[in-house]
Amino acid sequence: MGKRTWSYRLCIIIGILGILDTIFVLGMQGGINLGTVLPGLAGSILLLWGLGGEWFRGEILKDRFLLLRRLIMVGLVFLLSSFLIIEGLILVNTKDPIPEGVETMIILGAGLNGDQLSWTLYERVHKGAEILKDNPQMKVVVTGGQGPGEWIPEGVAMATYLLEQGIDEERIIVEGKATSTMENFLYSQELLVGDSSFNPSKPILVVTSDFHMFRSKLLAKRHGFYPVSVPCYTPWYIRPNVYLREYFAVVKSVLFDR
């Protein structure tokens, strides 16, 4: 009984966290997509299971829902196992050694406040600018469209920042339509194919946040790139939120993004 009660309480706690995560992201204008909604949906299921678990075990139902209970428990075990595996992959797939002679970089968008870079986007484009200054042969694709609360496309804002840092305009390729990581690489690929100097057999640098790197490399490979990680640091106080959301985003990308 004690173990059962503890497991139900854990479901309630995790369920509430999942629902709060979705509410927080939507409140921060994170956009309505599978990656932001899934924590809330999964949290609602866990919350209902935690609150109603004793009812399912009540004498009034006896064994009528035995199969359902077992299926739910198997689902919970699978969810926890996949969560641990994916989070482990996210943690270990961050930084790669950068080979010499890389000629192309892609900086992934991360949101604007009006026309101002968000903290996350600033970290990405600032790191990209530092690398570009040390590698004058390198071109860069800045990719990101215009979402809720944004006055201009993210790609345009990133290009403006790079120009202010002294990066030549000829080295900057602006992609301003993408609304997801999958589209970042899809549209970047379309632009680079039209660039005569681009060699698809050579590696490219992918600049994004550390928690976002595993999924970014996965999608980059699907679009024919050879990605090399250049991660940006994520503050500890937002890590629980972004790593939780990234689990669901990875699941979505594995199943649906092409």
Side-chain angles (χ1 to χ4, degrees):
M1 181 67 178
K3 290 183 178 179
R4 291 266 186 180
T5 302
W6 179 85
S7 65
Y8 290 135
R9 288 176 178 173
L10 181 61
C11 286
I12 291 172
I13 293 172
I14 297 175
I16 292 174
L17 290 175
I19 294 170
L20 291 176
D21 180 86
T22 293
I23 294 173
F24 174 79
V25 174
L26 293 177
M28 295 295 291
Q29 296 183 329
I32 299 177
N33 55 63
L34 198 59
T36 58
V37 172
L38 270 179
L41 293 176
S44 298
I45 294 173
L46 288 173
L47 180 60
L48 290 173
W49 176 248
L51 293 173
E54 293 295 338
W55 180 76
F56 276 109
R57 294 176 57 230
E59 289 297 324
I60 190 173
L61 296 179
K62 296 184 179 180
D63 293 331
R64 291 169 58 191
F65 287 89
L66 179 60
L67 177 60
L68 176 61
R69 295 206 311 268
R70 287 178 176 175
L71 288 175
I72 292 176
M73 292 308 298
V74 169
L76 291 175
V77 171
F78 175 79
L79 181 67
L80 178 59
S81 301
S82 65
F83 180 81
L84 293 175
I85 292 172
I86 290 175
E87 291 295 338
L89 291 171
I90 291 172
L91 289 171
V92 301
N93 284 274
T94 52
K95 190 172 184 178
D96 297 322
I98 300 178
E100 295 183 0
V102 178
E103 298 176 350
T104 308
M105 173 195 297
I106 296 179
I107 306 176
L108 303 184
L112 299 172
N113 300 312
D115 60 354
Q116 301 299 307
L117 302 176
S118 64
W119 181 88
T120 301
L121 187 54
Y122 169 80
E123 288 291 318
R124 296 180 186 182
V125 71
H126 180 70
K127 175 164 285 191
E130 292 180 338
I131 296 174
L132 290 169
K133 290 176 182 177
D134 293 334
N135 297 271
Q137 84 288 351
M138 190 179 297
K139 287 189 175 183
V140 59
V141 179
V142 284
T143 169
Q146 185 174 347
E150 299 178 342
W151 300 347
I152 59 176
E154 296 166 14
V156 173
M158 287 189 280
T160 299
Y161 179 86
L162 292 177
L163 291 171
E164 292 172 350
Q165 298 301 305
I167 306 301
D168 291 339
E169 184 176 2
E170 291 76 15
R171 300 172 62 192
I172 304 171
I173 301 173
V174 180
E175 188 290 304
K177 299 188 300 180
T179 59
S180 67
T181 305
M182 183 274 292
E183 290 183 352
N184 285 145
F185 291 110
L186 173 64
Y187 297 145
S188 295
Q189 181 192 47
E190 292 176 356
L191 290 173
L192 287 171
V193 166
D195 187 338
S196 59
S197 64
F198 174 65
N199 185 345
S201 65
K202 289 188 175 181
I204 63 166
L205 301 187
V206 176
V207 181
T208 189
S209 303
D210 48 11
F211 69 87
H212 189 228
M213 188 57 72
F214 170 69
R215 183 159 58 100
S216 298
K217 291 170 65 178
L218 174 70
L219 295 175
K221 291 175 182 177
R222 284 186 180 178
H223 287 87
F225 293 115
Y226 298 91
V228 176
S229 303
V230 182
C232 301
Y233 174 75
T234 301
W236 64 268
Y237 52 85
I238 64 171
R239 281 180 175 266
N241 180 275
V242 296
Y243 275 85
L244 175 62
R245 285 194 293 114
E246 191 64 13
Y247 162 76
F248 291 100
V250 169
V251 172
K252 188 264 292 187
S253 290
V254 170
L255 294 177
F256 301 110
D257 287 342
R258 291 291 182 269

